[in-house]
């Protein structure tokens, strides 16, 4: 057998260059690039190997924060429908532990990312090495063990030849639609530099097939029988519809059967909002139309969704006493939830099989009319919420704006929605924006809405926008981010400039963490610790004047263009100017800090059972009353 003598790190790089996946006859490079920040634990091993062996087939990206690096990788994989991923490398120590949050984002959202943190010496000769955690119970533990619970596959490469077994397994998990998530290979810094005679066949071109498995025919027949007997069926569509590229099959299914669709955050856009059977977002942050239909649905067809508490309104949404469930999932773990009839298989394939089994079935006229009435009522409410009633504002004409200098967040969303167009993608993740966007954004293209709401991670937005831009450079990418999230992690603005991948950052400034501030107030509190205020010399608390922060100047200092907007006309002008820029741009918009949009479903957030505050006591009584609608069983 022919062999080649390489360091472990060089063998890793050469292997990654040859990994591909194929689905529906189209081939994709599995590991598209390596992003990394170097330290003593990876620079002379993996860093040297990338410099010598990476080349154009495995380009190197230089992010500015380890957590943001993984967010970028997650967004890239999502935009590529899980068919391509990044590898991310750090040194051992704080660089490695900074990966944990991003790894959780990847695994919770079922998105592939390969993590390659350096690790302490396998030989233990210099122990304890710089940045080594000395675990008193075992010398086999390092900080990288923090990554075990947030990884779908985790391994530590203690000898160079262990790559022969570990790397194929890591690629299998990354490419698997059932098992994918964060994959972690810990690389001791001495082993990275050690040489071994690797078989040349190990570096042969390799193509993994991503299958589209169908469902057991008996299960399809059972589901079809249930659907035929239902009077008020409803589809809940999640991110699995997008991952499977099943949007066209979903549209054929609903047009054939007349069954309406409500969407999770990850599923939004799988059926466009102007479709007569699209009810919009569903659940805690859903539309009045979707939640009204869901209340009385007697059968729910869940497609590619985990059915989290936001989707089910903490198990209080689906109130029909005899509601039944059918679940279309690639993962049996998800399919088994809620006592559902389990249709385990690829979403696109199973929807097509189910559509064929339901030939001739269609919901009755009375239910169809109810769906239309719910949509019409919601459209009227949407216009009122977004300020779309009798408006007459010309771009650049501040005097024509009746709310000059005091736009509401809902108005901002409507304006961006109108200006962005179908070839733009908005990216969001945390705070009040995801709830308002889920409710108000009207998708005109399956790719115009990118939410990270499985982990709802603050700091994802700008790095995520860059990840989308790297995956889809032809699209305009807009990161919609609150001031709190921007302050937490805005560093990848610099990377976007470095890579010449311009993004637009729309910074909505409401003076703090207002989403949680509103949650406090709805629970009886006057609010505490969530607004960006100066410490008051008299009270000793953070209840002085709001801080004045020049976010536009901050963005300019990093090399980005920057604009400010306080009126509808100014915001439209700024959005158009930002899109004309050849570099990344930030738009700073100060909005009214007002009450949140009206809720159309409940969320289980416990209120203090005992308190001397009458407002908290009243909130607890309301909480207990609402909790009575929760269903313990499916």
């Amino acid at each position: 057998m022919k062999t080649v003598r390489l360091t472990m790190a060089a063998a890793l790089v050469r292997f990654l260059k040859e990994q591909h996946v194929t689905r529906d006859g189209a081939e994709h490079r599995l590991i598209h690039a390596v992003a990394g920040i170097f330290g003593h634990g990876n620079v002379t091993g993996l860093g040297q190997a990338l410099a010598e062996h990476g080349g154009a087939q495995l380009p190197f990206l230089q992010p500015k924060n380890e957590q943001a690096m993984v967010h970028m990788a997650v967004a890239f994989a999502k935009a590529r429908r899980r068919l391509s991923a990044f590898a991310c490398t750090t040194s051992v120590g704080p660089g490695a532990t900074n990966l944990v949050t991003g790894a959780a984002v990847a695994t919770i959202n079922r998105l592939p990312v390969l993590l390659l943190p350096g690790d302490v010496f396998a030989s233990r000769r210099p122990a304890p090495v710089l940045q080594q955690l000395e675990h008193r119970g075992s010398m086999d533990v390092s900080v990288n063990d923090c990554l075990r619970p947030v990884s779908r596959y985790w391994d530590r490469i203690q000898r160079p030849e262990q790559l022969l077994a570990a790397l194929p397994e890591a690629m299998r998990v990354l490419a698997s639609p059932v098992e994918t998530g964060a994959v972690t290979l810990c690389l001791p810094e001495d082993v990275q530099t050690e040489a071994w005679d690797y078989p040349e066949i190990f570096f042969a071109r390799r193509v993994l097939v991503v299958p589209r498995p169908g469902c057991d025919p008996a299960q399809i027949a059972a589901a079809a029988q249930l659907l035929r007997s239902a009077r008020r069926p409803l589809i809940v569509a999640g991110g699995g519809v997008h991952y499977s590229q099943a949007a066209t099959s979903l549209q054929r299914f609903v047009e054939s059967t007349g069954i309406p669709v409500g969407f999770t955050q990850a599923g939004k856009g799988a059926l466009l909002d102007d479709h007569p059977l699209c009810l919009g977002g569903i659940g805690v942050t859903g539309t009045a139309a979707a939640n009204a239909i869901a209340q009385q649905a007697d059968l729910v067809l869940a497609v590619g969704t985990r059915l989290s508490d936001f989707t089910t309104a903490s198990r209080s949404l689906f109130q029909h006493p005899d509601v039944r469930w059918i679940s279309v999932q690639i993962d049996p773990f998800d399919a088994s939830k809620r006592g559902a009839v389990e249709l385990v298989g690829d979403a696109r394939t199973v929807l097509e099989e189910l559509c064929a089994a339901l030939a001739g079935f269609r919901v009755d006229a009375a239910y169809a009319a109810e769906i239309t009435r719910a949509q019409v009522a919601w459209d009227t409410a949407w216009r009122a919420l977004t300020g779309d009633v009798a408006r007459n504002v010309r771009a650049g004409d501040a005097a024509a704006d009746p709310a000059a200098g005091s736009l509401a967040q809902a108005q901002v969303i409507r304006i961006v929605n109108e200006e962005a167009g179908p070839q733009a993608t908005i990216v969001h993740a945390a705070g009040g924006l995801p709830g308002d966007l889920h409710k108000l954004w009207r998708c005109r293209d399956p790719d115009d809405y990118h939410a990270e709401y499985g982990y709802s991670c603050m700091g994802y937005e700008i790095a995520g926008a860059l990840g989308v831009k790297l995956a889809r450079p032809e699209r305009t990418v807009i990161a919609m981010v609150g001031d709190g999230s921007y302050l937490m992690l805005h560093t990848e603005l610099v990377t976007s400039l470095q890579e010449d991948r311009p993004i637009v950052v729309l910074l909505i400034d409401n003076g703090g963490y207002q989403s949680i501030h509103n949650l406090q107030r709805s629970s009886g509190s006057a609010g505490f610790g969530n607004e960006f205020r100066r410490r008051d010399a008299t009270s000793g608390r953070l209840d002085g004047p709001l801080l004045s922060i020049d976010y536009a100047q901050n963005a300019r200092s990093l090399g980005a263009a920057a604009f400010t907007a306080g009126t509808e006309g100014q915001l439209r002008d700024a959005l158009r100017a930002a899109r004309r820029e050849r570099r990344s741009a930030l738009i700073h918009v100060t909005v009214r800090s007002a009450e949140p949009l009206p809720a159309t479903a409940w969320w289980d957030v416990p209120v203090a059972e005992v308190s001397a505050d009458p407002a908290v006591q009243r909130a607890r009584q309301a909480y207990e009353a609402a909790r009575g609608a929760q269903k313990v069983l499916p």
Side-chain angles (χ1 to χ4, degrees):
M1 180 186 297
K2 292 188 66 175
T3 62
V4 56
R5 190 164 183 80
L6 296 168
T7 66
M8 182 268 270
L12 171 61
V13 169
R14 283 193 54 177
F15 181 90
L16 294 182
K17 289 167 63 174
E18 301 300 333
Q19 305 308 300
H20 302 78
V21 298
T22 182
R23 185 171 73 177
D24 302 331
E27 194 171 289
H28 310 264
R29 183 175 295 282
L30 178 54
I31 305 301
H32 183 83
V34 177
I37 297 177
F38 293 118
H40 68 88
N42 65 339
V43 67
T44 59
L46 193 54
Q48 187 275 333
L50 284 167
E52 185 174 343
H53 299 280
Q57 286 181 285
L58 199 64
F60 175 73
L61 302 172
Q62 186 194 74
K64 308 303 173 284
N65 176 282
E66 293 91 354
Q67 182 188 140
M69 168 171 67
V70 189
H71 294 331
M72 177 182 68
V74 167
F76 177 90
K78 184 170 185 174
R80 288 289 182 93
R81 301 293 190 251
R82 304 197 296 199
L83 296 172
S84 193
F86 282 166
C88 299
T89 182
T90 72
S91 183
V92 67
T97 51
N98 282 347
L99 297 174
V100 174
T101 299
V105 171
T107 296
I108 287 171
N109 286 284
R110 316 308 213 268
L111 289 163
V113 60
L114 176 62
L115 305 180
L116 302 172
D119 211 331
V120 297
F121 279 62
S123 67
R124 301 180 184 169
R125 280 196 298 266
V129 70
L130 176 66
Q131 299 177 326
Q132 180 171 344
L133 170 74
E134 293 185 84
H135 192 283
R136 294 177 185 271
S138 172
M139 290 189 180
D140 194 40
V141 173
S142 80
V143 294
N144 286 333
D145 287 80
C146 295
L147 287 158
R148 283 181 183 265
V150 291
S151 298
R152 293 304 299 265
Y153 177 80
W154 186 100
D155 203 351
R156 179 175 280 125
I157 309 302
Q158 301 277 28
R159 293 177 57 87
E161 63 266 35
Q162 288 177 348
L163 285 183
L164 298 178
L167 281 177
E169 180 63 10
M171 298 304 109
R172 184 192 69 79
V173 175
L174 286 171
S176 167
V178 177
E179 297 184 52
T180 197
V183 168
T184 301
L185 298 179
C186 309
L187 309 177
E189 60 178 292
D190 54 343
V191 181
Q192 288 179 50
T193 64
E194 291 174 4
W196 196 70
D197 295 321
Y198 289 92
E200 281 198 351
I201 195 171
F202 186 60
F203 307 111
R205 193 172 187 277
R206 190 164 178 261
V207 182
L208 294 166
V209 176
V210 180
R212 289 195 179 276
C215 185
D216 179 78
Q219 291 295 90
I220 292 287
Q225 183 177 353
L226 267 182
L227 280 162
R228 288 182 182 276
S229 66
R231 300 295 301 276
R232 305 171 59 83
L234 171 68
I235 297 169
V236 176
V241 178
H242 284 300
Y243 296 157
S244 177
Q245 296 177 299
T248 301
S249 297
L250 177 66
Q251 182 172 334
R252 282 198 296 264
F253 183 88
V254 302
E255 289 175 351
S256 172
T257 62
I259 302 175
V261 191
F263 296 93
T264 69
Q265 286 276 13
K268 192 168 168 67
L271 190 69
L272 302 186
D273 278 85
D274 62 0
H275 194 282
L277 290 167
C278 176
L279 297 172
I282 195 167
V284 175
T285 55
T287 70
N291 288 344
I293 297 299
Q295 282 281 339
Q296 297 303 318
D298 61 352
L299 189 143
V300 182
L301 175 61
V303 185
T305 169
R306 298 184 301 136
L307 294 175
S308 72
D309 66 333
F310 257 66
T311 301
T312 67
S314 299
R315 292 178 175 251
S316 72
L317 182 56
F318 301 96
Q319 284 296 309
H320 192 286
D322 300 315
V323 63
R324 298 291 303 274
W325 295 79
I326 299 169
S327 191
V328 178
Q329 307 287 349
I330 191 70
D331 188 345
F333 174 81
D334 291 321
S336 65
K337 295 175 181 176
R338 312 305 293 268
V341 173
E342 301 176 29
L343 303 185
V344 178
D346 172 74
R348 191 168 91 180
T349 302
V350 175
L351 281 172
E352 291 169 356
E353 292 172 340
L354 194 56
C355 191
L358 283 169
F361 167 77
R362 191 166 183 85
V363 302
D364 64 33
Y367 185 43
E370 183 181 345
I371 293 164
T372 300
R373 287 194 300 272
Q375 288 175 315
V376 170
W378 168 242
D379 185 67
T380 301
W382 180 91
R383 292 182 181 279
L385 290 169
T386 62
D388 192 43
V389 180
R391 58 190 174 88
N392 181 25
V393 180
R394 299 187 303 276
D397 187 358
D401 190 347
S406 58
L407 288 169
Q409 184 162 282
Q411 291 174 285
V412 172
I413 289 170
R414 186 250 305 157
I415 294 162
V416 176
N417 206 171
E418 292 170 350
E419 290 290 331
Q423 294 306 307
T425 299
I426 60 156
V427 179
H428 63 96
L433 272 167
D436 290 358
L437 285 161
H438 192 214
K439 192 180 265 94
L440 301 177
W441 187 266
R442 293 187 161 178
C443 292
R444 290 177 281 177
D445 181 87
D447 291 317
D448 74 359
Y449 188 92
H450 180 113
E452 189 291 287
Y453 213 60
Y455 208 41
S456 187
C457 186
M458 291 183 70
Y460 175 91
E461 298 90 345
I462 294 173
L466 176 56
V468 174
K469 188 68 176 179
L470 289 165
R472 302 290 302 276
E474 76 281 5
R475 297 187 72 84
T476 298
V477 184
I478 304 171
M480 295 188 71
V481 58
D483 48 332
S485 208
Y486 178 86
L487 289 171
M488 192 171 287
L489 201 58
H490 58 269
T491 51
E492 299 322 303
L493 257 177
V494 176
T495 311
S496 74
L497 296 167
Q498 187 176 24
E499 292 294 329
D500 196 22
R501 290 289 183 264
I503 60 173
V504 177
V505 178
L506 184 70
L507 191 157
I508 298 180
D509 181 0
N510 57 17
Y513 308 125
Q514 294 295 345
S515 172
I516 300 302
H517 184 64
N518 286 329
L519 183 61
Q520 283 179 312
R521 293 191 294 171
S522 69
S523 301
S525 170
F528 171 78
N530 279 302
E531 293 187 297
F532 296 158
R533 295 185 177 275
R534 294 184 181 276
R535 189 171 300 280
D536 185 86
T538 303
S539 69
R541 298 180 178 179
L542 294 172
D543 55 8
L546 284 169
L547 296 172
S548 178
I549 303 170
D550 191 339
Y551 294 103
Q553 186 60 30
N554 175 261
R556 291 188 191 104
S557 75
L558 299 176
F563 308 89
T564 58
T567 70
E568 178 161 342
Q570 290 169 357
L571 179 54
R572 289 185 185 276
D573 283 349
L575 285 163
R576 293 167 188 174
R579 294 182 71 169
R580 289 194 297 267
E581 285 283 342
R582 300 189 65 179
R583 55 179 170 158
S584 292
L586 177 138
I587 303 171
H588 178 204
V589 184
T590 301
V591 298
R592 296 197 301 266
S593 180
E595 292 295 324
L597 296 178
T600 60
W602 179 69
W603 185 30
D604 190 343
V605 179
V607 179
E609 190 171 5
V610 177
S611 173
D613 189 333
V616 176
Q617 293 170 9
R618 290 190 296 271
R620 177 68 190 194
Q621 290 173 353
Y623 168 73
E624 290 177 350
R627 197 168 59 173
Q630 277 183 304
K631 290 187 173 185
V632 178
L633 297 175

